[in-house]
Amino acid sequence: MSDRTVQTGTKAAEDASGYWTANIRIIVISLIIWALVSFGFGILLRPMLSGISVGGTDLGFWFAQQGSILVFLALIFFYAWRMNKLDREYGVEED
């Protein structure tokens, strides 16, 4: 009986560890995309993107003013969708 309890506890710990590892991975990927778009494209790579025109302005300026906001909103919806899927996989979804 105690072996079964230990195995169940170990399984729960492995599931929790896997859940948080996947959660942290999603967060890190989202932050990298957000930083690349807002800081990279809007500030660091702006001179390289200045020759590409979007909506009457250069692409670097567009990313700094509009693109980073749109990508941030897309990342919010992606994170919510992916976390709901991850919650279902690990059986911790909300009712």
Coordinates of all heavy atoms in Angstrom, one line a residue:
M1 N 0.8 -1.2 0.0 CA 0.0 0.0 0.0 C 0.9 1.3 0.0 O 0.6 2.2 -0.7 CB -0.9 0.0 1.2 CG -1.8 1.2 1.4 SD -3.4 0.8 0.9 CE -4.2 2.3 1.2
S2 N 1.9 1.2 0.8 CA 2.8 2.4 0.8 C 3.5 2.7 -0.5 O 3.8 3.8 -0.8 CB 3.8 2.3 2.0 OG 4.7 1.3 1.8
D3 N 3.8 1.6 -1.2 CA 4.5 1.7 -2.5 C 3.6 2.5 -3.5 O 4.1 3.3 -4.3 CB 4.9 0.4 -3.1 CG 6.0 -0.3 -2.4 OD1 6.8 0.4 -1.7 OD2 6.1 -1.5 -2.4
R4 N 2.3 2.2 -3.4 CA 1.4 2.8 -4.3 C 1.3 4.3 -4.0 O 1.2 5.2 -4.9 CB 0.0 2.2 -4.2 CG -1.0 2.7 -5.2 CD -2.2 1.9 -5.2 NE -3.1 2.4 -6.2 CZ -4.4 2.1 -6.3 NH1 -4.9 1.3 -5.5 NH2 -5.1 2.6 -7.3
T5 N 1.3 4.7 -2.7 CA 1.2 6.0 -2.3 C 2.4 6.8 -2.7 O 2.3 7.9 -3.2 CB 1.0 6.1 -0.8 OG1 -0.1 5.4 -0.4 CG2 0.9 7.5 -0.3
V6 N 3.6 6.2 -2.6 CA 4.8 6.8 -3.0 C 4.8 7.0 -4.5 O 5.2 8.1 -5.0 CB 6.0 5.9 -2.5 CG1 7.3 6.5 -3.2 CG2 6.1 5.9 -1.0
Q7 N 4.4 6.0 -5.3 CA 4.4 6.2 -6.7 C 3.4 7.2 -7.1 O 3.7 8.0 -8.0 CB 4.0 4.8 -7.4 CG 5.1 3.8 -7.3 CD 4.6 2.4 -7.8 OE1 3.4 2.2 -8.2 NE2 5.6 1.5 -7.9
T8 N 2.2 7.3 -6.5 CA 1.3 8.4 -6.8 C 1.8 9.7 -6.5 O 1.7 10.7 -7.3 CB -0.1 8.1 -6.0 OG1 -0.5 6.8 -6.3 CG2 -1.1 9.2 -6.4
G9 N 2.5 9.9 -5.3 CA 3.1 11.1 -5.0 C 4.2 11.5 -5.9 O 4.4 12.7 -6.3
T10 N 5.0 10.5 -6.4 CA 6.1 10.8 -7.3 C 5.5 11.2 -8.7 O 6.0 12.1 -9.3 CB 7.0 9.5 -7.5 OG1 7.4 9.1 -6.2 CG2 8.1 9.8 -8.4
K11 N 4.4 10.5 -9.1 CA 3.8 10.9 -10.3 C 3.2 12.3 -10.3 O 3.4 13.1 -11.2 CB 2.7 9.9 -10.6 CG 1.8 10.2 -11.9 CD 2.6 9.9 -13.1 CE 1.7 10.0 -14.3 NZ 2.3 10.7 -15.4
A12 N 2.6 12.7 -9.2 CA 2.1 14.0 -9.0 C 3.2 15.1 -9.1 O 3.1 16.1 -9.7 CB 1.3 14.2 -7.7
A13 N 4.4 14.7 -8.4 CA 5.5 15.7 -8.4 C 6.1 15.8 -9.9 O 6.4 16.9 -10.3 CB 6.6 15.2 -7.5
E14 N 6.1 14.7 -10.6 CA 6.6 14.7 -12.0 C 5.7 15.6 -12.9 O 6.1 16.3 -13.7 CB 6.8 13.3 -12.5 CG 7.9 12.6 -12.0 CD 8.0 11.1 -12.4 OE1 7.1 10.7 -13.2 OE2 8.9 10.4 -12.0
D15 N 4.3 15.4 -12.7 CA 3.4 16.1 -13.4 C 3.5 17.6 -13.1 O 3.4 18.5 -14.0 CB 1.9 15.7 -13.1 CG 1.6 14.4 -13.8 OD1 2.3 14.0 -14.7 OD2 0.5 13.8 -13.5
A16 N 3.6 18.0 -11.8 CA 3.8 19.4 -11.4 C 5.1 20.0 -12.0 O 5.1 21.1 -12.6 CB 3.8 19.5 -9.9
S17 N 6.1 19.2 -12.0 CA 7.4 19.7 -12.6 C 7.3 19.8 -14.1 O 7.7 20.9 -14.6 CB 8.5 18.7 -12.3 OG 9.7 19.0 -12.9
G18 N 6.6 18.9 -14.8 CA 6.4 19.0 -16.2 C 5.5 20.2 -16.6 O 5.8 20.9 -17.6
Y19 N 4.5 20.4 -15.8 CA 3.6 21.5 -16.0 C 4.3 22.9 -15.9 O 4.2 23.7 -16.8 CB 2.4 21.5 -15.0 CG 1.5 22.6 -15.1 CD1 0.5 22.6 -16.1 CD2 1.6 23.7 -14.2 CE1 -0.4 23.7 -16.2 CE2 0.7 24.8 -14.3 CZ -0.3 24.8 -15.3 OH -1.1 25.8 -15.4
W20 N 5.1 23.0 -14.8 CA 5.8 24.3 -14.6 C 6.9 24.5 -15.6 O 7.2 25.6 -16.0 CB 6.2 24.4 -13.2 CG 5.1 24.8 -12.3 CD1 4.5 23.9 -11.4 CD2 4.3 26.0 -12.3 NE1 3.4 24.6 -10.9 CE2 3.3 25.9 -11.4 CE3 4.5 27.2 -13.0 CZ2 2.4 26.9 -11.1 CZ3 3.6 28.2 -12.7 CH2 2.5 28.0 -11.8
T21 N 7.6 23.4 -16.0 CA 8.6 23.5 -17.1 C 8.0 24.0 -18.4 O 8.5 24.9 -19.0 CB 9.3 22.1 -17.3 OG1 9.9 21.7 -16.0 CG2 10.3 22.2 -18.3
A22 N 6.8 23.4 -18.7 CA 6.2 23.9 -20.0 C 5.7 25.3 -19.8 O 5.8 26.1 -20.8 CB 5.0 22.9 -20.3
N23 N 5.2 25.6 -18.7 CA 4.7 27.0 -18.4 C 5.8 28.0 -18.6 O 5.7 29.0 -19.3 CB 4.1 27.1 -17.0 CG 3.4 28.4 -16.7 OD1 3.3 29.3 -17.6 ND2 2.8 28.5 -15.6
I24 N 6.9 27.7 -17.9 CA 8.1 28.7 -18.0 C 8.6 28.7 -19.4 O 9.0 29.8 -19.9 CB 9.2 28.2 -17.0 CG1 8.7 28.3 -15.6 CG2 10.5 29.0 -17.2 CD1 8.3 29.6 -15.1
R25 N 8.6 27.6 -20.2 CA 9.0 27.6 -21.6 C 8.2 28.6 -22.4 O 8.7 29.4 -23.2 CB 9.0 26.2 -22.1 CG 9.6 26.2 -23.6 CD 9.6 24.8 -24.2 NE 9.9 23.7 -23.3 CZ 9.0 22.7 -22.9 NH1 7.8 22.7 -23.4 NH2 9.4 21.8 -22.1
I26 N 6.9 28.5 -22.2 CA 5.9 29.4 -23.0 C 6.2 30.8 -22.6 O 6.2 31.7 -23.5 CB 4.5 29.0 -22.7 CG1 4.2 27.6 -23.2 CG2 3.5 30.0 -23.2 CD1 2.9 27.0 -22.7
I27 N 6.4 31.1 -21.3 CA 6.7 32.5 -20.9 C 8.0 33.0 -21.5 O 8.0 34.1 -22.0 CB 6.7 32.6 -19.3 CG1 5.3 32.3 -18.8 CG2 7.2 33.9 -18.9 CD1 5.3 32.2 -17.3
V28 N 9.0 32.2 -21.4 CA 10.3 32.7 -22.0 C 10.2 32.9 -23.5 O 10.7 33.9 -24.0 CB 11.4 31.6 -21.6 CG1 12.7 31.9 -22.4 CG2 11.7 31.6 -20.2
I29 N 9.6 32.0 -24.2 CA 9.4 32.2 -25.7 C 8.6 33.5 -26.0 O 9.0 34.3 -26.8 CB 8.8 31.0 -26.3 CG1 9.8 29.8 -26.3 CG2 8.4 31.3 -27.7 CD1 9.2 28.5 -26.7
S30 N 7.6 33.7 -25.2 CA 6.8 34.9 -25.4 C 7.5 36.2 -25.1 O 7.5 37.2 -25.8 CB 5.5 34.9 -24.5 OG 4.7 33.8 -24.9
L31 N 8.3 36.2 -24.0 CA 9.1 37.3 -23.7 C 10.2 37.6 -24.7 O 10.5 38.8 -25.0 CB 9.8 37.2 -22.3 CG 8.8 37.3 -21.1 CD1 9.5 37.0 -19.8 CD2 8.3 38.7 -21.1
I32 N 10.8 36.5 -25.3 CA 11.8 36.7 -26.3 C 11.2 37.3 -27.6 O 11.8 38.3 -28.1 CB 12.5 35.4 -26.7 CG1 13.4 35.0 -25.5 CG2 13.3 35.5 -28.0 CD1 14.0 33.6 -25.6
I33 N 10.0 36.9 -28.0 CA 9.3 37.4 -29.1 C 9.0 38.9 -28.9 O 9.2 39.8 -29.7 CB 8.1 36.6 -29.5 CG1 8.5 35.2 -30.0 CG2 7.2 37.3 -30.5 CD1 7.3 34.3 -30.2
W34 N 8.5 39.2 -27.7 CA 8.1 40.5 -27.3 C 9.3 41.5 -27.3 O 9.2 42.6 -27.9 CB 7.4 40.5 -25.9 CG 7.2 41.9 -25.4 CD1 6.2 42.8 -25.8 CD2 7.9 42.5 -24.4 NE1 6.3 43.9 -25.1 CE2 7.3 43.8 -24.2 CE3 9.0 42.1 -23.6 CZ2 7.8 44.7 -23.2 CZ3 9.4 43.0 -22.6 CH2 8.9 44.3 -22.5
A35 N 10.4 41.0 -26.8 CA 11.6 41.9 -26.7 C 12.2 42.1 -28.1 O 12.6 43.2 -28.5 CB 12.7 41.2 -25.8
L36 N 12.2 41.0 -28.9 CA 12.7 41.1 -30.3 C 11.9 42.1 -31.1 O 12.4 43.0 -31.8 CB 12.7 39.8 -31.0 CG 13.2 39.7 -32.4 CD1 14.7 40.1 -32.5 CD2 12.9 38.4 -33.0
V37 N 10.6 42.1 -31.0 CA 9.7 42.9 -31.8 C 9.8 44.4 -31.2 O 10.0 45.3 -32.0 CB 8.3 42.4 -31.8 CG1 7.3 43.5 -32.4 CG2 8.2 41.1 -32.6
S38 N 9.6 44.6 -29.9 CA 9.5 45.9 -29.4 C 10.9 46.6 -29.3 O 11.1 47.7 -29.8 CB 8.9 45.9 -28.0 OG 9.7 45.2 -27.1
F39 N 11.9 45.9 -28.8 CA 13.2 46.5 -28.7 C 14.1 46.3 -29.9 O 14.7 47.3 -30.4 CB 13.9 46.0 -27.4 CG 15.2 46.6 -27.1 CD1 15.2 47.9 -26.6 CD2 16.4 46.0 -27.3 CE1 16.4 48.6 -26.3 CE2 17.6 46.6 -27.0 CZ 17.6 47.9 -26.5
G40 N 14.1 45.1 -30.4 CA 14.9 44.8 -31.6 C 14.5 45.5 -32.9 O 15.2 46.3 -33.4
F41 N 13.2 45.3 -33.3 CA 12.7 45.9 -34.5 C 12.5 47.3 -34.4 O 12.7 48.1 -35.3 CB 11.5 45.2 -35.0 CG 11.7 43.8 -35.5 CD1 10.6 42.9 -35.6 CD2 12.9 43.3 -35.9 CE1 10.8 41.6 -36.1 CE2 13.1 42.0 -36.3 CZ 12.0 41.2 -36.4
G42 N 12.0 47.8 -33.3 CA 11.6 49.2 -33.1 C 12.8 50.1 -32.8 O 12.8 51.3 -33.2
I43 N 13.9 49.6 -32.2 CA 15.0 50.4 -31.9 C 16.3 50.0 -32.5 O 16.9 50.8 -33.3 CB 15.2 50.5 -30.3 CG1 14.0 51.1 -29.7 CG2 16.5 51.3 -29.9 CD1 13.9 51.0 -28.2
L44 N 16.8 48.8 -32.3 CA 18.1 48.3 -32.8 C 18.1 48.1 -34.3 O 19.1 48.5 -34.9 CB 18.5 47.0 -32.0 CG 18.7 47.1 -30.5 CD1 19.0 45.8 -30.0 CD2 19.8 48.1 -30.2
L45 N 17.1 47.5 -34.8 CA 17.1 47.2 -36.3 C 16.4 48.2 -37.1 O 16.2 48.0 -38.3 CB 16.5 45.8 -36.5 CG 17.2 44.6 -35.8 CD1 16.4 43.4 -36.1 CD2 18.6 44.5 -36.3
R46 N 16.0 49.4 -36.5 CA 15.3 50.4 -37.2 C 16.0 50.9 -38.5 O 15.4 51.1 -39.5 CB 14.9 51.5 -36.3 CG 14.0 52.5 -37.1 CD 13.3 53.5 -36.1 NE 12.4 54.3 -36.9 CZ 12.5 55.6 -36.9 NH1 13.4 56.2 -36.1 NH2 11.7 56.3 -37.6
P47 N 17.3 51.2 -38.4 CA 18.0 51.7 -39.6 C 18.0 50.7 -40.7 O 17.9 51.1 -41.9 CB 19.4 51.9 -39.1 CG 19.3 52.1 -37.6 CD 18.2 51.2 -37.2
M48 N 18.0 49.4 -40.4 CA 18.0 48.3 -41.5 C 16.6 48.2 -42.1 O 16.4 47.9 -43.2 CB 18.4 47.0 -40.9 CG 19.8 46.9 -40.5 SD 20.3 45.4 -39.6 CE 19.6 44.2 -40.6
L49 N 15.5 48.6 -41.3 CA 14.2 48.4 -41.8 C 13.6 49.7 -42.4 O 12.5 49.8 -42.8 CB 13.3 48.0 -40.6 CG 13.6 46.7 -39.9 CD1 12.7 46.5 -38.7 CD2 13.4 45.5 -40.9
S50 N 14.5 50.8 -42.4 CA 14.0 52.1 -42.9 C 13.6 52.1 -44.3 O 12.8 52.9 -44.8 CB 15.0 53.2 -42.6 OG 16.2 52.9 -43.3
G51 N 14.2 51.2 -45.1 CA 13.9 51.2 -46.6 C 12.5 50.5 -46.9 O 12.0 50.7 -48.0
I52 N 11.9 49.8 -46.0 CA 10.7 49.1 -46.2 C 9.5 50.0 -45.8 O 9.5 50.4 -44.6 CB 10.6 47.8 -45.5 CG1 11.8 46.9 -45.9 CG2 9.3 47.0 -45.7 CD1 12.1 45.7 -45.0
S53 N 8.6 50.3 -46.7 CA 7.5 51.2 -46.4 C 6.2 50.4 -46.0 O 5.8 49.5 -46.7 CB 7.2 52.1 -47.6 OG 6.1 53.0 -47.3
V54 N 5.6 50.8 -44.9 CA 4.3 50.3 -44.4 C 3.4 51.4 -44.0 O 3.8 52.2 -43.1 CB 4.5 49.3 -43.2 CG1 3.2 48.9 -42.6 CG2 5.3 48.1 -43.6
G55 N 2.3 51.6 -44.7 CA 1.4 52.6 -44.3 C 1.9 54.0 -44.4 O 1.5 54.9 -43.6
G56 N 2.8 54.3 -45.3 CA 3.4 55.6 -45.5 C 4.5 55.9 -44.6 O 5.0 57.0 -44.6
T57 N 5.0 55.0 -43.8 CA 6.1 55.2 -42.9 C 7.1 54.0 -43.0 O 6.7 53.0 -43.6 CB 5.7 55.5 -41.5 OG1 6.8 55.8 -40.7 CG2 5.0 54.3 -40.9
D58 N 8.3 54.1 -42.5 CA 9.2 53.0 -42.6 C 8.8 51.9 -41.6 O 8.1 52.2 -40.6 CB 10.6 53.5 -42.4 CG 10.9 54.0 -41.0 OD1 11.3 53.2 -40.1 OD2 10.8 55.2 -40.8
L59 N 9.2 50.7 -41.8 CA 8.9 49.5 -41.0 C 9.4 49.6 -39.6 O 8.6 49.2 -38.7 CB 9.4 48.3 -41.7 CG 8.9 46.9 -41.1 CD1 7.4 46.8 -41.1 CD2 9.5 45.8 -41.8
G60 N 10.5 50.2 -39.4 CA 11.1 50.3 -38.0 C 10.2 51.2 -37.2 O 9.9 50.9 -36.0
F61 N 9.8 52.3 -37.7 CA 8.9 53.2 -37.0 C 7.6 52.6 -36.8 O 7.0 52.7 -35.7 CB 8.7 54.5 -37.8 CG 7.8 55.5 -37.1 CD1 8.3 56.3 -36.1 CD2 6.5 55.7 -37.5 CE1 7.5 57.2 -35.5 CE2 5.7 56.6 -36.9 CZ 6.2 57.4 -35.9
W62 N 7.1 51.8 -37.8 CA 5.8 51.2 -37.6 C 5.8 50.2 -36.5 O 4.9 50.1 -35.6 CB 5.4 50.5 -38.9 CG 4.0 49.9 -38.8 CD1 2.8 50.5 -39.0 CD2 3.7 48.5 -38.5 NE1 1.8 49.6 -38.8 CE2 2.3 48.4 -38.5 CE3 4.5 47.4 -38.2 CZ2 1.7 47.2 -38.2 CZ3 3.9 46.2 -37.9 CH2 2.5 46.1 -37.9
F63 N 6.9 49.4 -36.4 CA 7.1 48.4 -35.3 C 7.1 49.1 -33.9 O 6.5 48.7 -33.0 CB 8.3 47.5 -35.5 CG 8.0 46.2 -36.2 CD1 8.6 46.0 -37.4 CD2 7.2 45.3 -35.6 CE1 8.3 44.8 -38.1 CE2 7.0 44.1 -36.2 CZ 7.5 43.9 -37.5
A64 N 7.8 50.2 -33.9 CA 8.0 51.0 -32.6 C 6.6 51.5 -32.2 O 6.3 51.6 -31.0 CB 9.0 52.1 -32.8
Q65 N 5.8 52.0 -33.1 CA 4.5 52.7 -32.8 C 3.3 51.7 -32.7 O 2.5 51.9 -31.9 CB 4.3 53.8 -33.7 CG 5.3 54.9 -33.7 CD 5.5 55.5 -32.3 OE1 4.5 55.8 -31.7 NE2 6.7 55.5 -31.8
Q66 N 3.2 50.8 -33.7 CA 2.0 50.0 -33.8 C 2.3 48.5 -33.7 O 1.6 47.8 -33.1 CB 1.3 50.3 -35.2 CG 0.9 51.7 -35.4 CD -0.2 52.1 -34.4 OE1 -1.0 51.3 -34.0 NE2 -0.1 53.4 -34.0
G67 N 3.3 48.1 -34.4 CA 3.6 46.6 -34.5 C 3.8 46.0 -33.2 O 3.4 44.9 -33.0
S68 N 4.6 46.6 -32.3 CA 4.9 46.0 -31.0 C 3.6 45.8 -30.2 O 3.4 44.8 -29.5 CB 5.9 46.8 -30.3 OG 5.5 48.1 -30.0
I69 N 2.7 46.8 -30.3 CA 1.4 46.7 -29.6 C 0.6 45.5 -30.1 O 0.0 44.7 -29.4 CB 0.6 48.0 -29.7 CG1 1.4 49.1 -28.9 CG2 -0.7 47.8 -29.1 CD1 0.9 50.5 -29.2
L70 N 0.5 45.4 -31.4 CA -0.3 44.3 -32.1 C 0.4 42.9 -31.7 O -0.4 42.0 -31.5 CB -0.4 44.5 -33.6 CG -1.1 45.8 -34.0 CD1 -1.1 45.9 -35.5 CD2 -2.6 45.7 -33.5
V71 N 1.7 42.9 -31.8 CA 2.3 41.6 -31.4 C 2.1 41.3 -30.0 O 1.9 40.1 -29.6 CB 3.8 41.6 -31.8 CG1 4.6 40.5 -31.2 CG2 4.0 41.7 -33.3
F72 N 2.1 42.3 -29.1 CA 1.9 42.1 -27.7 C 0.5 41.5 -27.5 O 0.3 40.6 -26.7 CB 2.1 43.4 -26.9 CG 1.9 43.2 -25.4 CD1 2.8 42.4 -24.7 CD2 0.8 43.9 -24.8 CE1 2.6 42.3 -23.3 CE2 0.7 43.7 -23.4 CZ 1.5 43.0 -22.7
L73 N -0.5 42.1 -28.1 CA -1.9 41.6 -28.0 C -2.0 40.1 -28.5 O -2.7 39.3 -27.9 CB -2.9 42.5 -28.8 CG -3.1 43.8 -28.1 CD1 -4.0 44.7 -29.1 CD2 -3.8 43.7 -26.8
A74 N -1.3 39.9 -29.7 CA -1.3 38.5 -30.2 C -0.7 37.5 -29.2 O -1.2 36.4 -29.0 CB -0.6 38.5 -31.5
L75 N 0.4 38.0 -28.5 CA 1.0 37.1 -27.5 C 0.1 36.8 -26.3 O 0.1 35.7 -25.8 CB 2.3 37.7 -27.1 CG 3.5 37.6 -28.0 CD1 4.7 38.5 -27.5 CD2 3.9 36.2 -28.2
I76 N -0.7 37.8 -25.9 CA -1.6 37.6 -24.8 C -2.6 36.5 -25.2 O -2.9 35.6 -24.4 CB -2.3 38.9 -24.5 CG1 -1.4 39.9 -23.8 CG2 -3.5 38.6 -23.6 CD1 -1.9 41.3 -23.6
F77 N -3.2 36.6 -26.4 CA -4.2 35.6 -26.8 C -3.5 34.2 -27.0 O -4.1 33.2 -26.7 CB -4.9 36.0 -28.1 CG -5.9 37.1 -27.8 CD1 -5.7 38.4 -28.2 CD2 -7.1 36.8 -27.2 CE1 -6.6 39.4 -28.0 CE2 -8.0 37.8 -26.9 CZ -7.8 39.1 -27.3
F78 N -2.3 34.2 -27.6 CA -1.5 32.9 -27.7 C -1.3 32.3 -26.4 O -1.5 31.1 -26.2 CB -0.2 33.2 -28.5 CG 0.7 32.0 -28.4 CD1 0.5 30.9 -29.1 CD2 1.8 32.0 -27.5 CE1 1.3 29.8 -29.0 CE2 2.6 30.9 -27.4 CZ 2.4 29.8 -28.1
Y79 N -0.8 33.1 -25.4 CA -0.5 32.6 -24.1 C -1.8 32.0 -23.4 O -1.7 30.9 -22.8 CB 0.1 33.7 -23.2 CG 0.4 33.2 -21.8 CD1 1.5 32.4 -21.6 CD2 -0.4 33.5 -20.7 CE1 1.8 32.0 -20.3 CE2 -0.1 33.1 -19.4 CZ 1.0 32.3 -19.2 OH 1.2 31.8 -18.0
A80 N -2.9 32.7 -23.5 CA -4.1 32.2 -22.9 C -4.6 30.9 -23.6 O -5.0 30.0 -22.9 CB -5.2 33.3 -23.0
W81 N -4.5 30.9 -24.9 CA -4.9 29.6 -25.6 C -4.0 28.5 -25.2 O -4.4 27.4 -25.0 CB -4.8 29.9 -27.1 CG -4.9 28.7 -27.9 CD1 -6.0 27.9 -28.2 CD2 -3.8 28.0 -28.6 NE1 -5.7 26.8 -29.0 CE2 -4.4 26.9 -29.2 CE3 -2.5 28.2 -28.7 CZ2 -3.6 26.0 -30.0 CZ3 -1.7 27.3 -29.4 CH2 -2.3 26.2 -30.0
R82 N -2.7 28.7 -25.2 CA -1.7 27.7 -25.0 C -1.8 27.2 -23.5 O -1.7 26.0 -23.2 CB -0.3 28.1 -25.3 CG 0.8 27.0 -25.2 CD 0.5 25.9 -26.2 NE 1.5 24.9 -26.0 CZ 1.2 23.7 -25.4 NH1 0.1 23.5 -24.9 NH2 2.2 22.8 -25.3
M83 N -2.0 28.1 -22.6 CA -2.1 27.7 -21.2 C -3.4 26.9 -20.9 O -3.4 26.0 -20.1 CB -2.1 28.9 -20.3 CG -0.7 29.5 -20.1 SD 0.6 28.2 -19.6 CE -0.1 27.7 -18.0
N84 N -4.5 27.3 -21.6 CA -5.7 26.5 -21.5 C -5.5 25.0 -22.0 O -5.9 24.1 -21.4 CB -6.9 27.1 -22.2 CG -7.4 28.3 -21.5 OD1 -7.3 28.4 -20.3 ND2 -8.0 29.2 -22.2
K85 N -4.7 24.9 -23.1 CA -4.4 23.6 -23.6 C -3.5 22.8 -22.7 O -3.7 21.6 -22.4 CB -3.7 23.8 -25.0 CG -3.5 22.5 -25.7 CD -2.8 22.8 -27.1 CE -2.4 21.5 -27.8 NZ -1.8 21.7 -29.0
L86 N -2.5 23.5 -22.1 CA -1.6 22.9 -21.2 C -2.4 22.5 -19.9 O -2.1 21.4 -19.4 CB -0.5 23.8 -20.8 CG 0.7 23.3 -20.0 CD1 1.4 22.3 -20.8 CD2 1.6 24.4 -19.6
D87 N -3.3 23.3 -19.4 CA -4.1 23.0 -18.3 C -4.9 21.7 -18.5 O -5.0 20.8 -17.6 CB -5.0 24.1 -17.9 CG -4.3 25.3 -17.3 OD1 -3.1 25.2 -17.0 OD2 -4.9 26.4 -17.2
R88 N -5.5 21.6 -19.7 CA -6.3 20.4 -20.0 C -5.3 19.1 -20.1 O -5.7 18.1 -19.6 CB -7.0 20.5 -21.4 CG -8.2 21.4 -21.3 CD -9.1 21.3 -22.5 NE -8.3 21.7 -23.7 CZ -8.2 23.0 -24.1 NH1 -8.8 24.0 -23.4 NH2 -7.6 23.3 -25.2
E89 N -4.2 19.3 -20.6 CA -3.2 18.2 -20.7 C -2.9 17.6 -19.3 O -2.7 16.4 -19.1 CB -1.9 18.6 -21.4 CG -2.1 18.8 -22.9 CD -0.8 19.3 -23.5 OE1 0.3 19.2 -22.9 OE2 -0.9 19.8 -24.7
Y90 N -2.7 18.5 -18.3 CA -2.3 18.1 -17.0 C -3.5 18.0 -16.0 O -3.3 17.8 -14.8 CB -1.2 19.1 -16.5 CG 0.1 18.9 -17.1 CD1 0.5 19.6 -18.2 CD2 1.0 17.9 -16.5 CE1 1.7 19.3 -18.8 CE2 2.2 17.7 -17.1 CZ 2.6 18.4 -18.3 OH 3.8 18.2 -18.8
G91 N -4.7 18.2 -16.5 CA -5.9 18.0 -15.7 C -6.1 19.1 -14.6 O -6.6 18.8 -13.6
V92 N -5.6 20.3 -14.9 CA -5.8 21.4 -13.9 C -6.6 22.5 -14.5 O -6.5 23.7 -14.0 CB -4.4 21.9 -13.4 CG1 -3.7 20.9 -12.6 CG2 -3.5 22.4 -14.5
E93 N -7.4 22.2 -15.5 CA -8.2 23.3 -16.1 C -9.3 23.8 -15.2 O -9.7 23.2 -14.2 CB -8.9 22.8 -17.4 CG -10.0 21.8 -17.2 CD -9.5 20.3 -17.1 OE1 -8.3 20.1 -17.1 OE2 -10.4 19.4 -17.0
E94 N -9.7 25.0 -15.5 CA -10.7 25.7 -14.7 C -12.1 25.2 -15.2 O -12.3 24.9 -16.3 CB -10.6 27.2 -14.8 CG -9.3 27.7 -14.2 CD -9.2 29.2 -14.4 OE1 -10.1 29.8 -15.0 OE2 -8.2 29.8 -13.9
D95 N -13.1 25.3 -14.3 CA -14.4 24.9 -14.7 C -15.1 26.0 -15.4 O -14.9 27.1 -15.3 CB -15.3 24.6 -13.5 CG -14.8 23.3 -12.8 OD1 -14.2 22.4 -13.6 OD2 -14.9 23.1 -11.6

